[in-house]
Amino acid sequence: MVGTSEIENNHGFANGVCVNGAILEEKLDELRRHFGKAEGDPLRIVGVGAGAWGSVFLALLQDSYGHLRDKVLIRIWRRPGRQVDRATAEHLFEVINSREDVLRRLIRRCAYLKYVEARLGDRTLYADEILKDGFCLNMIDTPLCPLKVVTNLQEAVWDADIVVNGLPSTETREVFEEISRYWKERISTPVIISLAKGIEAELEPVPRIVTPTQMIHQASGVPMENILYLGGPNIAAEIYNKEYANARICGAEKWRKPLAKFLRQPHFIVWDNGDLVTHEVMGGLKNVYAIGAGMVAALTNESATSKSVYFAHCTSEMIFITHLLAEEPERLAGPLLADTYVTLLKGRNAWYGQMLAKGALSLDMGDSIKGKGMIQGVSAVKAFYELLGQSSISVLHPQENKPVAPVELCPILKTLYSILITRDFPSQAILQALRDETMHDPRERIEIAQSHAFYIPSLLGQ
């Protein structure tokens, strides 16, 4: 009976009494009406990509709505063939045996023996295989609920009503170009929620930034009004462990409001917002500056003063850059500021910066790190620098009164590019940039940005 109570508690039942099941079903029915779903035709939600946040997002939906199988089907796609190495298998076995609920679940599902064999080196586990049992390869220490895993992309997405993009921004375009081939015969248009944080830079014929939602639009042909971005101050493992968190879903009003209501949970509050551009660009920028934050923390032995100085300068650069891209961007406050704060404090990009500064990682190891996944801040540093370094989009330097590339007003971004991309300087250069006696008060950069003098519509293809 342990297994029965476990499943019931995940779905809002306690002591045989429904606590919030009726509310969840009502929210699901309301969203089904928005999609025009008929009786007996389930709403199909598919996650594409199984990193930490993508897996947790689908697991949250499965926990809440998975028991309503006649009304909703939830599944996740990941590529097949990724092997779990011996060290990870050994650690996974320790995690399983430290959690009685997980251990009982695996025994009940006749799935425990394979983890014993993998621990002994007698069997090879695969990432898609363990995900079915609730283990994300990038987040082994936080077991999730079991998930329906599909390794064939066409099978996963061809009839999906909602697609959740959990891919890194560097893989988003390629995968959605493939998906578009499977949607050619579709009558209805799917809704896409992108969790990706990163950008690309296109320098020809006119320099411009390309966000993940724009990549999806270009690759799939799905109209922008059906593509939304969800982001907020959250760490995937903490959210699944029911730490209180909030997020914003941004995009067209037609979909963002009903989806915000559907996604909201007691411990995960989702608001809606119409400013897709600022939130998505900030989602990429925070990863850029999080790497530097990690470096500063490691190099100064977690000095609160140094980290606060860095925070002041990097947020002023973020505000400056968003005002280049949007005429009236959302203020860096509330959830936007909190998202930046938590990413600089504890995200994987900050961890990466710390490991580089400590010498525990090297740039030669690449930006896809075992147990962490893709460090998206590295490619974002390159994209933002190359875009803002174009002389064709010059701005007037406020002190020198001459035209300069916008990146010249972003000394931290320049330093991160020199450390991570050209490798001209070691990690210690980030401290030299902060301690530059000629650096101006960050307030001046913010005032310049808010004067609207530097808004360049072409940077977003507008």
Side-chain angles (χ1 to χ4, degrees):
M1 294 305 294
V2 173
T4 303
S5 62
E6 172 197 336
I7 294 173
E8 288 178 345
N9 286 335
N10 279 342
H11 300 146
F13 292 82
N15 300 321
V17 179
C18 178
V19 177
N20 62 1
I23 297 174
L24 290 169
E25 188 165 7
E26 182 181 325
K27 290 201 298 182
L28 176 57
D29 287 340
E30 186 174 339
L31 187 63
R32 283 171 52 82
R33 287 192 291 272
H34 276 281
F35 278 88
K37 303 298 286 187
E39 191 73 24
D41 182 15
L43 184 72
R44 294 170 173 85
I45 303 175
V46 177
V48 175
W53 184 211
S55 297
V56 163
F57 192 85
L58 267 291
L60 291 173
L61 294 177
Q62 178 65 31
D63 277 339
S64 295
Y65 299 104
H67 63 295
L68 301 167
R69 286 185 290 272
D70 58 331
K71 295 186 176 184
V72 63
L73 297 176
I74 300 167
R75 57 189 185 267
I76 187 168
W77 170 84
R78 73 153 295 139
R79 293 183 178 90
R82 175 75 181 274
Q83 293 187 358
V84 179
D85 62 45
R86 176 76 180 275
T88 303
E90 291 175 353
H91 180 57
L92 179 54
F93 187 72
E94 293 175 2
V95 171
I96 291 169
N97 286 287
S98 69
R99 290 277 301 270
E100 182 179 345
D101 58 332
V102 176
L103 179 60
R104 288 180 177 274
R105 186 181 78 200
L106 292 174
I107 292 173
R108 188 176 64 254
R109 291 162 58 95
C110 301
Y112 180 65
L113 182 58
K114 65 185 177 188
Y115 294 99
V116 176
E117 293 172 341
R119 164 67 179 83
L120 297 173
D122 296 335
R123 174 174 179 156
T124 299
L125 295 172
Y126 291 88
D128 57 286
E129 177 185 16
I130 66 173
L131 187 59
K132 293 176 183 177
D133 293 324
F135 303 109
C136 171
L137 189 58
N138 292 344
M139 200 175 59
I140 291 296
D141 290 315
T142 305
L144 310 175
C145 64
L147 293 170
K148 169 66 175 175
V149 181
V150 181
T151 55
N152 182 292
L153 185 58
Q154 182 175 6
E155 178 188 346
V157 304
W158 73 273
D159 61 348
D161 298 300
I162 299 174
V163 174
V164 179
N165 176 36
L167 296 162
S169 58
T170 49
E171 298 176 20
T172 292
R173 185 187 297 276
E174 177 186 353
V175 172
F176 275 88
E177 284 176 348
E178 181 179 349
I179 288 174
S180 69
R181 300 202 297 268
Y182 311 137
W183 283 349
K184 287 182 179 178
E185 306 301 322
R186 283 189 69 124
I187 298 174
S188 61
T189 304
V191 170
I192 300 169
I193 302 172
S194 179
L195 310 178
K197 298 174 176 69
I199 64 119
E200 287 181 354
E202 291 182 356
L203 305 182
E204 299 291 342
V206 177
R208 63 186 293 260
I209 197 172
V210 185
T211 65
T213 59
Q214 291 173 323
M215 295 177 206
I216 293 168
H217 168 65
Q218 294 170 0
S220 68
V222 172
M224 284 300 298
E225 69 171 10
N226 277 47
I227 307 175
L228 304 101
Y229 166 75
L230 185 139
N234 42 62
I235 301 296
E238 293 182 356
I239 290 180
Y240 195 74
N241 288 330
K242 292 184 168 50
E243 294 285 343
Y244 179 82
N246 54 58
R248 282 175 172 169
I249 187 165
C250 307
E253 184 173 344
K254 174 184 177 182
W255 289 113
R256 73 172 192 260
K257 288 187 176 297
L259 283 169
K261 186 174 182 180
F262 174 71
L263 296 172
R264 177 176 286 220
Q265 299 186 18
H267 67 284
F268 184 56
I269 306 303
V270 179
W271 298 301
D272 71 280
N273 190 284
D275 189 351
L276 175 64
V277 170
T278 306
H279 286 79
E280 203 170 13
V281 169
M282 282 293 191
L285 278 174
K286 65 173 189 162
N287 288 334
V288 166
Y289 291 100
I291 296 176
M295 292 177 178
V296 170
L299 293 169
T300 64
N301 196 26
E302 299 288 345
S303 163
T305 301
S306 295
K307 289 192 289 186
S308 64
V309 170
Y310 178 83
F311 187 78
H313 283 290
C314 78
T315 51
S316 72
E317 289 190 16
M318 292 172 72
I319 292 169
F320 173 73
I321 293 170
T322 55
H323 277 79
L324 288 171
L325 300 169
E327 189 170 13
E328 294 288 347
E330 180 87 11
R331 291 173 64 87
L332 185 58
L336 264 181
L337 182 60
D339 193 11
T340 301
Y341 171 76
V342 76
T343 304
L344 269 59
L345 187 71
K346 196 179 176 181
R348 77 180 71 173
N349 290 276
W351 171 87
Y352 180 74
Q354 286 185 321
M355 294 301 102
L356 285 178
K358 291 178 178 179
L361 291 177
S362 74
L363 293 171
D364 292 332
M365 298 170 70
D367 53 6
S368 182
I369 306 298
K370 174 187 167 185
K372 290 291 182 180
M374 181 64 67
I375 309 299
Q376 298 189 77
V378 177
S379 62
V381 167
K382 184 174 186 293
F384 276 112
Y385 180 91
E386 290 181 349
L387 179 75
L388 301 179
Q390 298 298 303
S391 58
S392 60
I393 55 171
S394 63
V395 297
L396 191 66
H397 195 289
Q399 280 79 37
E400 300 177 11
N401 200 32
K402 67 177 183 180
V404 295
V407 77
E408 296 300 324
L409 299 180
C410 302
I412 293 178
L413 176 59
K414 285 181 62 179
T415 302
L416 288 171
Y417 183 83
S418 297
I419 295 171
L420 299 170
I421 309 303
T422 61
R423 307 186 186 185
D424 293 332
F425 301 113
S427 299
Q428 287 77 5
I430 196 72
L431 293 184
Q432 296 172 12
L434 279 185
R435 296 165 180 170
D436 184 353
E437 293 183 7
T438 64
M439 186 175 283
H440 298 284
D441 188 329
R443 177 183 59 83
E444 296 179 16
R445 189 179 295 108
I446 294 174
E447 289 177 348
I448 292 168
Q450 294 175 340
S451 71
H452 305 292
F454 291 164
Y455 171 49
I456 306 174
S458 62
L459 288 181
L460 272 173
Q462 299 174 6

